[in-house]
Amino acid sequence: MKTQIIISLIVALLLTQMPIIGKYFAMINTMVHETGHSLMALVTGGEVRNISLFPNTSGVTMTGHTSWFSHVLTSLSGYIFASWFAFFLFYLLSKGKYTWIVFLLMGLLSINLLFWVRNLYGVFWIVTFGALFIWLLRSGHQTLIIYSLTFIAALVLVESVISAFHIMWLSVIAPGQAGDAANLARATKIPSLVWGTGFFLQAFYFAIQAWKRVF
């Protein structure tokens, strides 16, 4: 298990740096991130209008809010949810709960396709990734399935840290373009750098906890 996870993390790190196929697979973290925004908007009494996923691994969630507090929590939730989700996948791996991981991933793909994702590339990605995932499950090769689920968990973990680092770096060199950090800065008057740094630190913390869980 330990060797398998280390190999998966290394492959995930290398793969996500590749221009086309890397971005395709890294999109799973974007979907999880945008799902975090959507769930928080709903929990705090807002609405989810749509989600857009783009080939460069960026994503946009259009939400409506009933209060300033709801808006702030929704802006906060993307990176935090992605980091927690990565940790939770590793927790399930450590317990051997592979079936739970399958249901969790299929649930996220289905909910996003049916209710939220509406742009062409987003729909294309969910349909093709979902088709590959279903094909994998139908193959019946248990070893391949386990390795693939471990790789997906590694992808989410690696991308959750890399994307959080990227937003922290953007908050230094271009604070107004730092995505969720910039949105929070406008809403709270607290500088983007504070939010960007916070996003990275929590991602790093969850990554360490995920590592401890399996090692």
Side-chain angles (χ1 to χ4, degrees):
M1 168 66 80
K2 294 180 181 180
T3 301
Q4 175 183 330
I5 289 175
I6 291 174
I7 292 173
S8 294
L9 288 168
I10 293 172
V11 173
L13 180 60
L14 295 175
L15 180 64
T16 53
Q17 305 312 304
M18 297 176 66
I20 297 176
I21 190 171
K23 292 184 183 302
Y24 176 86
F25 282 100
M27 183 60 67
I28 189 168
N29 178 70
T30 305
M31 182 193 70
V32 173
H33 176 109
E34 302 305 331
T35 299
H37 286 310
S38 301
L39 292 176
M40 183 56 72
L42 295 175
V43 167
T44 56
E47 64 175 345
V48 182
R49 293 168 185 156
N50 62 73
I51 291 176
S52 296
L53 305 175
F54 302 105
N56 64 353
T57 71
S58 65
V60 175
T61 300
M62 300 299 295
T63 55
H65 305 281
T66 56
S67 67
W68 172 87
F69 189 60
S70 173
H71 171 64
V72 169
L73 287 181
T74 300
S75 296
L76 270 172
S77 62
Y79 286 101
I80 295 174
F81 182 75
S83 298
W84 172 84
F85 190 81
F87 165 78
F88 188 55
L89 289 179
F90 271 73
Y91 170 79
L92 293 176
L93 285 176
S94 71
K95 298 295 185 180
K97 304 292 186 179
Y98 301 108
T99 302
W100 288 26
I101 297 176
V102 170
F103 286 136
L104 194 57
L105 292 174
M106 287 303 298
L108 283 185
L109 289 168
S110 300
I111 290 171
N112 275 275
L113 180 62
L114 292 174
F115 300 109
W116 297 330
V117 175
R118 290 294 177 266
N119 72 312
L120 182 60
Y121 181 79
V123 171
F124 164 80
W125 182 84
I126 290 178
V127 169
T128 55
F129 191 86
L132 285 171
F133 196 55
I134 292 172
W135 173 83
L136 173 68
L137 298 177
R138 288 176 60 86
S139 71
H141 298 296
Q142 293 303 311
T143 301
L144 178 61
I145 291 172
I146 291 172
Y147 269 87
S148 298
L149 293 176
T150 304
F151 174 65
I152 290 173
L155 268 176
V156 178
L157 183 67
V158 166
E159 270 300 297
S160 69
V161 175
I162 290 177
S163 61
F165 177 81
H166 179 67
I167 208 69
M168 180 178 70
W169 180 244
L170 267 181
S171 69
V172 174
I173 62 174
Q177 301 174 30
D180 293 335
N183 290 336
L184 286 163
R186 286 189 287 269
T188 64
K189 309 307 178 186
I190 298 173
S192 297
L193 180 58
V194 174
W195 295 111
T197 302
F199 284 143
F200 176 69
L201 290 177
Q202 65 84 32
F204 190 67
Y205 169 79
F206 274 111
I208 290 175
Q209 295 307 308
W211 180 269
K212 287 181 178 179
R213 174 57 60 178
V214 293
F215 288 96

